[in-house]
């Protein structure tokens, strides 16, 4: 039996070839206006996503980590075009999205799907789960019985017995089962890439492990590309090929998973990694590596956004914003937006890297 | 096939047992009906409403007398005067017959404006709630204009300017009932709109119409329906009030509110007979209120 024999919709063709990255995001920006005052004027803006560029290669898993409120979910919604971008461009498999001669939104959605964070609110409470899964193929012109059959097949693929679960309503399922349904729903259009927005964060640990294994299996089976958004560093380490660290709407570090976890270069990444709970009692830390909340994204600090919480902040960090630089297309390329990593930047520790740590 | 162990397989749940029977798919309304079936109070009052409606429809068959036939000899007779079981009014007409015929007008006043207002108000509310932003502001501020007046005052004002008559009364009631229904629909739609499953539907590439019909409406509609059912009794009372003030149907058309108004002068002569149209209004509105209460509980299924 061929792998895709049960899918009702044909997989969108690979247009760009093997070397073409699956997704390129360039200079994405989204500011949310804050309105107030007498005439509902724009009094400020939340810089939720502030100039983010990155690339997702075909077949890889890009992990995205960062604290709550750093813009991870906004980024996912921008990529899905559920929110309009203020600035920036998304190129999917070589075609700019939503432009003349580019990829239409409808075609993008056949290629790119998303698994939402809140497994409860992401399923229609009034629809049996198989109808929720069958909805997307129906929208794309598949007949009712055909779509329902495909939905049952997908339930099987995500490890739920279709004749037992297909007719159930979301409130009759556990969190893990609902998230499996959500994954099946995202796969129903036979996409090539999935954005997983905190897909396992609400699950308890044993179920989380099951769903992670399922995701790994589906990735191989359907030849998928993942963008995996999470605040859980362990999970990201387990599933990712490359990791992107976000802070206050910007990318601060980007690199292969091993390098990020063994040789992090941005002070924020180092602090995040130190926040992980150590199993070894000798390695336990008494003081928190990061104190307080991130600064207000309405009024981010000048220069480096992390400087208010950074142990190595100097006057240069206040004056100039460190840049991430251009990614050269090599998966092993490790980028960091910190003055300390750039020789000659004016920081007293510049060039020493993390030898100071 | 896949090597994932299936949740729900007999092997995983209890070894050696037969596969569980496939769960029967019962729609949302099926679930609501399952709950209503065992709610005997609601069922009783549902039956009562049915009886009231039927008695109004078949009034010509049931009424013992012509509702408009006056008799100067038998004015204001007490209950059970000969075959005038509910007595006679100030012109000697049979009160029972008039109540049966009056039910036609009053139920019409109770149901038609609510149905029309639910459709119109619900439509505006869903559009306002889903679109948000400017569209929402325009629609809801227009509704607020009507909200600024007390409903009775508004009804009197509209009725007064349109003039009496049944059609004008129906229009008046519809206009009065639309804004509150619109507000309820808007609130429940904007709650649903922010749920992830709506975004998931958008992410699947569905059209706005399809999302509204398949995802938004089914979830947003139950508070609207429940609220509408409570408005039926309010509408009957409002219509009775208008008729009482002389702004509704004109005499000699039998109408509960109008009967109450004309019999009022005889309240010291035959108090019980005078109260009969009021009892009809009371029973009908209680029945509608209790049914809507039961409906709310039945529709408040967790899913």
């Amino acid at each position: 039996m061929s792998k895709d024999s049960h899918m009702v919709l044909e997989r969108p063709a690979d247009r760009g070839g093997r070397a073409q990255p699956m997704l390129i995001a360039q200079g994405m920006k989204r500011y949310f206006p804050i309105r107030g005052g007498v005439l509902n004027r724009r009094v400020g803006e939340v810089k939720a996503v502030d100039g983010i560029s990155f690339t997702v290669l075909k077949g890889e898993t890009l992990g995205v980590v960062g604290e709550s409120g750093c813009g991870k979910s906004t980024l996912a919604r921008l990529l899905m075009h559920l929110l309009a971008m203020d600035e920036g461009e998304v190129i999917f498999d070589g075609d700019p999205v939503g432009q003349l001669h580019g990829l239409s939104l409808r075609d993008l959605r056949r290629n790119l799907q998303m698994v939402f964070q809140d497994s409860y609110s992401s399923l229609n409470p009034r629809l049996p789960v198989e109808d929720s899964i069958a909805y997307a193929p129906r929208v794309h012109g598949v007949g009712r019985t055909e779509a329902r059959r495909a939905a049952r097949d997908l339930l099987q693929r995500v490890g739920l017995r279709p004749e037992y679960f297909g007719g159930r309503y979301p409130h009759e399922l556990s969190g893990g089962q609902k998230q499996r349904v959500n994954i099946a729903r995202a796969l129903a259009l036979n996409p090539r890439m999935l954005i997983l927005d905190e897909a396992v964060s609400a699950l308890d640990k044993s179920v989380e492990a099951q769903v992670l294994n399922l995701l790994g299996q589906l990735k191989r089976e359907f030849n998928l590309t993942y963008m995996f958004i999470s605040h859980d560093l362990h999970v990201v380490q387990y599933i990712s090929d490359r990791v992107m660290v976000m802070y206050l709407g910007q990318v601060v570090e980007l690199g292969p998973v091993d390098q990020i976890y063994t040789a992090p270069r941005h002070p924020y990444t180092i602090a995040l990694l130190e926040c992980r709970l150590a199993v070894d009692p000798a390695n336990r830390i008494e003081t928190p590596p990061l104190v307080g909340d991130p600064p207000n994204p309405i009024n981010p600090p000048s220069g480096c956004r992390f400087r208010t919480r950074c142990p190595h902040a100097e006057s240069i960090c206040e004056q100039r914003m460190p840049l991430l630089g251009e990614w050269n297309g090599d998966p092993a390329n490790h980028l960091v937006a910190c003055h300390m990593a750039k020789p000659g930047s004016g920081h007293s520790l510049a060039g020493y890297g993390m030898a100071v740590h | 096939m896949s090597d994932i162990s299936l949740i729900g397989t007999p092997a995983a749940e209890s070894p050696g047992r037969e596969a569980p029977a496939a769960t029967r798919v019962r729609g949302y309304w099926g679930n609501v009906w399952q709950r209503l079936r065992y709610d005997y109070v609601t069922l009783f009052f549902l039956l009562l409403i049915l009886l009231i409606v039927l008695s109004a429809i078949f009034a010509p068959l049931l009424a013992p007398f012509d509702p408009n036939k006056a008799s100067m000899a038998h004015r204001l007779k007490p209950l059970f005067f000969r075959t005038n079981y509910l007595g006679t009014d100030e012109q000697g007409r049979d009160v029972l017959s008039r109540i049966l015929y009056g039910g036609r007008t009053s139920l019409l006043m109770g149901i038609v404006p609510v149905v029309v207002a639910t459709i119109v108000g619900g439509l505006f509310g869903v559009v306002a709630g889903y679109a948000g932003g400017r569209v929402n502001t325009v629609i809801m501020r227009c509704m607020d204009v009507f909200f600024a007046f007390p409903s009775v005052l508004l009804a009197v004002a509209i009725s007064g300017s349109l003039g009496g008559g049944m059609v004008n009364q129906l229009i008046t009631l519809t206009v009065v009932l639309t804004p509150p229904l619109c507000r309820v629909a808007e609130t429940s739609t904007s709650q649903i709109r922010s749920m992830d499953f709506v975004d998931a539907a958008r992410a699947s590439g569905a059209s706005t119409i399809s999302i509204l019909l398949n995802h938004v409406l089914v979830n947003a509609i139950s508070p609207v329906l429940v609220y509408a059912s409570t408005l039926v009794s309010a509408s009957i009372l409002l219509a009775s009030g208008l008729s009482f003030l002389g702004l509704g149907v004109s005499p000699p058309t039998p109408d509960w509110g109008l009967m109450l108004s004309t019999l009022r002068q005889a309240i010291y002569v035959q108090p019980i007979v005078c109260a009969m149209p009021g009892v009809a209004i009371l029973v009908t509105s209680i029945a509608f209120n209790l049914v809507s209460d039961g409906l709310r509980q039945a529709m408040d299924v967790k899913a």
Side-chain angles (χ1 to χ4, degrees):
Chain A
M1 192 187 317
S2 125
K3 280 273 148 92
D4 280 356
S5 66
H6 284 271
M7 300 306 289
V8 280
L9 284 165
E10 210 160 292
R11 166 165 295 240
D14 188 332
R15 294 150 73 103
R18 236 184 122 67
Q20 173 68 39
M22 187 65 93
L23 183 135
I24 303 171
Q26 280 173 347
M28 292 172 69
K29 271 189 193 173
R30 172 71 197 208
Y31 296 170
F32 292 107
I34 304 159
R35 296 187 186 276
V38 203
L39 287 169
N40 218 17
R41 276 167 307 150
R42 197 182 176 111
V43 292
E45 49 202 8
V46 179
K47 295 174 177 164
V49 168
D50 195 8
I52 289 185
S53 303
F54 63 94
T55 302
V56 185
L57 297 174
K58 277 180 183 159
E60 78 167 348
T61 299
L62 177 70
V64 180
V65 290
E67 279 166 292
S68 305
C70 71
K72 304 185 298 271
S73 288
T74 307
L75 178 66
R77 276 160 202 271
L78 288 179
L79 289 173
M80 284 308 299
H81 290 73
L82 291 172
L83 273 175
M85 267 182 280
D86 292 337
E87 268 177 50
E89 192 181 23
V90 174
I91 296 169
F92 194 90
D93 201 8
D95 292 313
V97 176
Q99 288 177 17
L100 212 61
H101 309 301
L103 197 66
S104 71
L105 270 190
R106 201 175 160 87
D107 285 340
L108 173 77
R109 282 160 178 173
R110 288 273 281 106
N111 282 284
L112 176 64
Q113 280 290 313
M114 176 168 169
V115 176
F116 289 84
Q117 173 173 7
D118 183 352
S119 64
Y120 178 73
S121 82
S122 55
L123 287 173
N124 186 339
R126 295 281 153 82
L127 283 186
V129 294
E130 63 179 16
D131 287 355
S132 274
I133 300 170
Y135 179 70
R138 297 266 296 129
V139 165
H140 287 264
V142 177
R144 184 186 289 273
T145 41
E146 189 86 330
R148 194 169 274 184
R149 197 177 52 74
R152 291 179 162 249
D153 181 62
L154 275 166
L155 278 174
Q156 179 105 9
R157 297 248 187 153
V158 296
L160 297 173
R161 237 169 94 89
E163 55 284 25
Y164 202 60
F165 286 96
R168 291 201 190 182
Y169 287 85
H171 74 276
E172 297 171 316
L173 302 183
S174 73
Q177 291 164 351
K178 269 187 287 214
Q179 205 54 294
R180 284 170 191 264
V181 172
N182 274 320
I183 293 167
R185 192 245 318 264
L187 290 174
L189 288 176
N190 205 356
R192 296 165 65 203
M193 179 175 167
L194 279 190
I195 297 174
L196 300 146
D197 183 9
E198 303 271 12
V200 294
S201 306
L203 307 176
D204 62 59
K205 281 295 160 194
S206 61
V207 178
E208 183 178 36
Q210 290 170 17
V211 174
L212 281 175
N213 284 336
L214 172 71
L215 286 172
Q217 163 134 9
L218 291 169
K219 182 168 187 262
R220 287 190 298 278
E221 215 174 292
F222 290 92
N223 190 20
L224 291 164
T225 301
Y226 285 162
M227 179 163 152
F228 190 91
I229 300 174
S230 179
H231 62 264
D232 187 330
L233 293 149
H234 292 289
V235 170
V236 168
Q237 182 176 20
Y238 170 78
I239 202 164
S240 306
D241 298 315
R242 288 193 304 133
V243 176
M244 180 162 101
V245 184
M246 281 178 69
Y247 186 75
L248 232 56
Q250 292 181 328
V251 178
V252 294
E253 189 160 4
L254 174 69
V257 64
D258 301 336
Q259 277 193 42
I260 295 278
Y261 278 81
T262 55
R265 291 165 68 194
H266 197 283
Y268 177 61
T269 316
I270 294 165
L272 269 188
L273 291 171
E274 280 175 1
C275 291
R276 291 183 300 172
L277 300 175
V279 181
D280 180 2
N283 284 343
R284 283 183 189 158
I285 48 173
E286 297 289 322
T287 48
L290 269 178
V291 200
D293 291 326
N296 193 340
I298 300 167
N299 258 325
S302 65
C304 174
R305 293 202 170 168
F306 186 60
R307 69 177 168 82
T308 51
R309 297 163 92 191
C310 181
H312 313 294
E314 292 182 2
S315 62
I316 178 73
C317 303
E318 201 175 325
Q319 290 151 15
R320 280 218 330 250
M321 184 187 284
L323 299 172
L324 189 68
E326 278 290 315
W327 190 64
N328 63 9
D330 177 10
N333 192 2
H334 186 170
L335 295 174
V336 55
C338 178
H339 289 309
M340 286 191 290
K342 308 255 180 339
S345 66
H347 195 284
S348 63
L349 297 170
Y352 290 95
M354 280 301 108
V356 290
H357 174 58
Chain B
M1 216 44 224
S2 73
D3 58 344
I4 307 165
S5 67
L6 292 178
I7 297 175
T9 46
E13 306 229 307
S14 59
R17 225 182 52 185
E18 280 299 298
T23 44
R24 200 156 56 89
V25 182
R26 193 197 289 143
Y28 168 66
W29 295 107
N31 281 327
V32 171
W33 171 239
Q34 278 302 314
R35 291 184 166 225
L36 269 183
R37 255 180 65 183
Y38 297 103
D39 186 353
Y40 298 117
V41 176
T42 305
L43 284 183
F44 172 76
F45 282 100
L46 211 57
L47 199 70
L48 188 63
I49 289 176
L50 198 70
L51 282 177
I52 293 170
V53 171
L54 287 177
S55 71
I57 292 172
F58 296 109
L61 300 176
L62 295 170
F65 295 96
D66 180 347
N68 293 326
K69 188 168 175 293
S71 160
M72 283 302 131
H74 302 296
R75 294 167 63 211
L76 293 170
K77 291 297 175 194
L79 303 190
F80 301 110
F81 173 78
R82 294 200 209 144
T83 48
N84 300 99
Y85 298 116
L86 294 183
T88 58
D89 70 1
E90 78 287 348
Q91 294 191 40
R93 297 172 295 197
D94 180 45
V95 172
L96 177 62
S97 306
R98 285 183 70 76
I99 286 179
L100 288 173
Y101 273 94
R104 298 179 141 193
T105 333
S106 289
L107 288 177
L108 198 70
M109 294 299 161
I111 293 166
V112 172
V114 170
V115 171
V116 178
T118 304
I119 295 168
V120 175
L123 200 69
F124 276 114
V126 167
V127 168
Y130 189 77
R134 293 240 166 85
V135 179
N136 183 303
T137 309
V138 169
I139 293 178
M140 294 323 288
R141 290 303 86 76
C142 288
M143 293 297 163
D144 283 350
V145 173
F146 291 98
F147 263 116
F149 301 98
S151 58
V152 176
L153 188 66
L154 183 63
V156 169
I158 300 172
S159 248
S161 55
L162 287 177
M166 190 182 282
V167 175
N168 283 346
Q169 198 177 2
L170 287 175
I171 294 172
T172 303
L173 292 171
T174 307
V175 171
V176 171
L177 297 178
T178 299
L181 280 164
C182 180
R183 164 119 335 213
V184 172
E186 189 257 352
T187 311
S188 86
T189 306
S190 55
Q191 277 170 4
I192 299 299
R193 205 236 159 290
S194 61
M195 306 275 275
D196 279 345
F197 66 83
V198 175
D199 275 338
R202 288 174 60 209
S204 71
S207 66
T208 307
I209 295 289
S210 168
I211 293 172
L212 281 177
L213 291 178
N214 290 299
H215 295 285
V216 176
L217 217 53
V218 282
N219 286 290
I221 198 134
S222 62
V224 180
L225 287 185
V226 169
Y227 186 58
S229 64
T230 66
L231 285 182
V232 171
S233 58
S235 181
I236 292 176
L237 290 173
L238 202 55
S240 301
L242 287 179
S243 303
F244 182 85
L245 292 173
L247 292 166
V249 289
S250 43
T253 317
D255 173 86
W256 294 345
L258 201 60
M259 289 168 71
L260 211 54
S261 161
T262 51
L263 278 168
R264 169 183 54 134
Q265 289 136 351
I267 195 151
Y268 294 112
V269 185
Q270 278 304 354
I272 298 185
V273 172
C274 292
M276 281 303 132
V279 170
I281 295 173
L282 181 77
V283 170
T284 311
S285 50
I286 285 180
F288 272 106
N289 273 333
L290 288 175
V291 166
S292 77
D293 217 38
L295 204 60
R296 184 184 54 73
Q297 277 180 15
M299 287 173 106
D300 200 21
V301 191
K302 189 166 178 274

